[in-house]
Amino acid sequence: MISIRKTTINFLFVCFAFLFLPIITSAQEYVCDCKTDLEFLDQKVKKSPAYKRNKEAYSKAYEKLAERTSAETSIFDCYIILNELLLSINDNHSRVYGIDKGATPEVTPDSMAYAEFKKSETNTLYPILKVDLDSLETILESKDVNDIVGVYTYKEQLKIGVVKEENSDNFKVVILDTNEDIWQKGEVMSTLIPYGDNLLLNVGGNPSTKRLIAYSERIEDGVFKYIGFTKNNDHVHFANDLPTEETYFKEEINENITYLRLGSFSGWNPTLGQAEKFYREIKGTLTKPNLIVDLRNNSGGGDRNSDIILKQLKSYSKKNAIFVLINHRTVSNAEHFTLKLAKLKNTTILGNPSNGTAAYEVKNSTFNLPSGKFVTVLTSKLHSKYLDIESKGIIPDVVLDSGSDWIEQTVEYINGKK
């Protein structure tokens, strides 16, 4: 007869072994000369403005990561190493991506193109986790909603498990189940690397295309704030829930409040042309005492776009109140714009912390690495006045609850100020 105490100890041992898993993966066919790529990237990084401000941290990171590279490093591992190196310069515009864009909307409907993709290294470079996935899922499901480790779903297409790496601060994202043909159970989709102010660099595959991508992520309340994985699929994540898919949109909410959706500050057509047309149309129509400016999911752009509407809002704010909505997908020039609005009279920032990608700018600095597997984006311009929010984000004056509609919460807040 097995005692209850012994059974409990055995269960806890299994839990520990899974949750702090030494990620044992199958050997992959696809490798690259990561050492050469790392050395080439090193020479490029040393010409960037971010390097000049972070030389010591960069040198330590390079020395450590160089020991992990060789001419036989797997493409997946090399990709993580290259992006981990860029983390050390605290410049969130600078990233490495896969050259092959994977199963894009142009590829998937074309049977011949899709068949080629299925055979490609982009589809098959992901490691396979060698564990009992059902047992792993059972253990992960017991984790608290506020624990990064756990089971998440994505638009009813993917179920993933987030597992802590052994002897590391990093996490692995593994496919537990899938309705997507491009993924298979057991594949390691990405690595999560902690950095900055409660941020994680998600380095791995795009859920829809499998292209190698890297982006800033926050995981709070059981939700990946950027990509949308959630521990509770029945829960609407209102931080990213927009009232319209239109990039530029105006609505009169009531007799006292106007709503503006500003979804992009791209300085290139056709978006710039759409913005200019929208700004002309609303000129002189902002007459109500309260204005909600929604910058959620605005991935930035340039002053060429945002300065046009800023001029109008400066005039408006002299006699009226502005309420700005931001979230983790408020990025770059949208963060600049938020801070400019915050300086105006009667402005309140509401929502969640922004992305924290604001201090640098990309200008003609994209290049391929020698292996031919990766493309690198490095910045060439510093905006030093925004360094304080790099890898931190803008902290809102009023934090909104992601469990209910943000516009409704903002209207309630405005009404409460009367």
Side-chain angles (χ1 to χ4, degrees):
M1 180 176 179
I2 300 174
S3 71
I4 294 176
R5 183 176 178 275
K6 184 175 181 181
T7 302
T8 302
I9 291 172
N10 286 342
F11 177 75
L12 291 174
F13 176 79
V14 171
C15 287
F16 182 85
F18 269 119
L19 295 180
F20 297 90
L21 198 64
I23 302 296
I24 303 171
T25 57
S26 61
Q28 293 297 298
E29 178 183 353
Y30 299 110
V31 298
C32 66
D33 187 350
C34 196
K35 186 174 186 298
T36 298
D37 275 3
L38 189 71
E39 291 171 351
F40 184 85
L41 180 61
D42 174 56
Q43 296 305 310
K44 294 290 187 179
V45 168
K46 286 179 177 176
K47 297 177 183 178
S48 72
Y51 167 77
K52 295 172 184 177
R53 302 189 67 92
N54 300 278
K55 289 182 180 180
E56 184 177 350
Y58 176 83
S59 296
K60 289 180 180 179
Y62 182 83
E63 182 179 352
K64 179 182 176 181
L65 293 168
E67 294 177 355
R68 290 164 47 188
T69 65
S70 72
E72 297 299 320
T73 304
S74 74
I75 294 174
F76 186 83
D77 288 342
C78 185
Y79 185 63
I80 294 169
I81 289 168
L82 296 172
N83 276 291
E84 195 168 351
L85 177 65
L86 292 183
L87 272 182
S88 67
I89 59 174
N90 191 34
D91 170 7
N92 293 316
H93 277 97
S94 291
R95 295 283 185 256
V96 179
Y97 303 94
I99 287 180
D100 188 337
K101 295 183 179 180
T104 64
E106 291 73 34
V107 169
T108 49
D110 184 327
S111 58
M112 292 184 63
Y114 189 65
E116 286 300 310
F117 162 75
K118 291 288 285 184
K119 294 184 291 184
S120 72
E121 67 181 28
T122 298
N123 182 48
T124 54
L125 62 84
Y126 294 86
I128 305 294
L129 192 64
K130 290 182 176 179
V131 298
D132 184 323
L133 294 176
D134 291 335
S135 298
L136 176 60
E137 182 176 344
T138 298
I139 294 168
L140 293 178
E141 282 179 338
S142 68
K143 302 304 292 181
D144 185 81
V145 68
N146 293 312
D147 194 329
I148 290 175
V149 171
V151 176
Y152 300 76
T153 56
Y154 178 74
K155 299 179 180 178
E156 300 182 351
Q157 298 168 329
L158 293 171
K159 181 186 288 184
I160 62 163
V162 176
V163 184
K164 187 75 165 55
E165 286 186 11
E166 186 181 44
N167 301 321
S168 169
D169 293 330
N170 298 348
F171 301 83
K172 290 293 187 189
V173 177
V174 58
I175 303 294
L176 297 176
D177 201 2
T178 175
N179 290 320
E180 290 279 358
D181 184 54
I182 63 172
W183 292 102
Q184 60 176 304
K185 293 174 67 172
E187 278 187 303
V188 177
M189 173 185 280
S190 63
T191 294
L192 300 172
I193 306 172
Y195 78 100
D197 188 5
N198 296 318
L199 293 168
L200 297 156
L201 185 66
N202 197 328
V203 189
N206 181 305
S208 301
T209 67
K210 240 178 177 180
R211 182 187 185 183
L212 289 170
I213 60 172
Y215 60 93
S216 172
E217 185 64 90
R218 271 193 177 92
I219 302 179
E220 295 176 353
D221 305 319
V223 176
F224 282 59
K225 296 287 189 177
Y226 194 91
I227 201 68
F229 287 114
T230 176
K231 285 188 175 181
N232 182 357
N233 209 36
D234 296 326
H235 173 73
V236 177
H237 182 52
F238 284 96
N240 294 342
D241 190 45
L242 302 171
T244 176
E245 294 183 0
E246 294 182 43
T247 306
Y248 303 99
F249 177 77
K250 174 176 176 280
E251 181 180 22
E252 305 300 337
I253 292 181
N254 58 37
E255 66 276 8
N256 293 311
I257 305 172
T258 300
Y259 170 87
L260 286 185
R261 160 75 180 145
L262 305 179
S264 173
F265 290 135
S266 172
W268 304 99
N269 286 318
T271 305
L272 178 60
Q274 295 169 1
E276 290 172 333
K277 180 176 182 291
F278 179 75
Y279 301 153
R280 286 194 301 270
E281 289 173 348
I282 67 171
K283 190 172 184 179
T285 69
L286 304 179
T287 58
K288 294 180 178 176
N290 301 289
L291 177 66
I292 299 174
V293 178
D294 196 341
L295 299 179
R296 288 178 293 169
N297 298 16
N298 185 319
S299 58
D303 292 344
R304 183 181 178 187
N305 181 322
S306 59
D307 275 356
I308 305 172
I309 188 63
L310 180 63
K311 184 177 180 180
Q312 286 192 50
L313 297 184
K314 281 182 176 179
S315 177
Y316 172 88
S317 70
K318 292 176 181 178
K319 296 182 179 180
N320 304 287
I322 299 175
F323 302 87
V324 185
L325 296 182
I326 63 171
N327 64 1
H328 183 63
R329 300 184 74 169
T330 304
V331 184
S332 192
N333 189 260
E335 294 179 280
H336 300 177
F337 187 76
T338 299
L339 292 177
K340 290 173 183 177
L341 290 181
K343 293 180 180 179
L344 302 180
K345 184 180 179 181
N346 299 324
T347 296
T348 303
I349 311 300
L350 305 94
N352 290 155
S354 63
N355 193 271
T357 304
Y360 297 91
E361 184 177 338
V362 178
K363 284 196 171 184
N364 302 320
S365 51
T366 299
F367 52 89
N368 294 346
L369 295 183
S371 67
K373 311 297 183 185
F374 313 114
V375 58
T376 301
V377 176
L378 289 180
T379 59
S380 55
K381 185 175 181 180
L382 168 65
H383 298 283
S384 57
K385 60 185 175 181
Y386 300 120
L387 277 170
D388 287 346
I389 67 167
E390 193 75 9
S391 300
K392 297 178 182 178
I394 300 166
I395 306 303
D397 302 313
V398 179
V399 176
L400 297 181
D401 177 9
S402 294
S404 61
D405 187 273
W406 276 25
I407 297 174
E408 291 179 4
Q409 289 185 67
T410 305
V411 170
E412 290 175 6
Y413 179 81
I414 293 170
N415 291 337
K417 290 180 69 66
K418 290 181 180 179

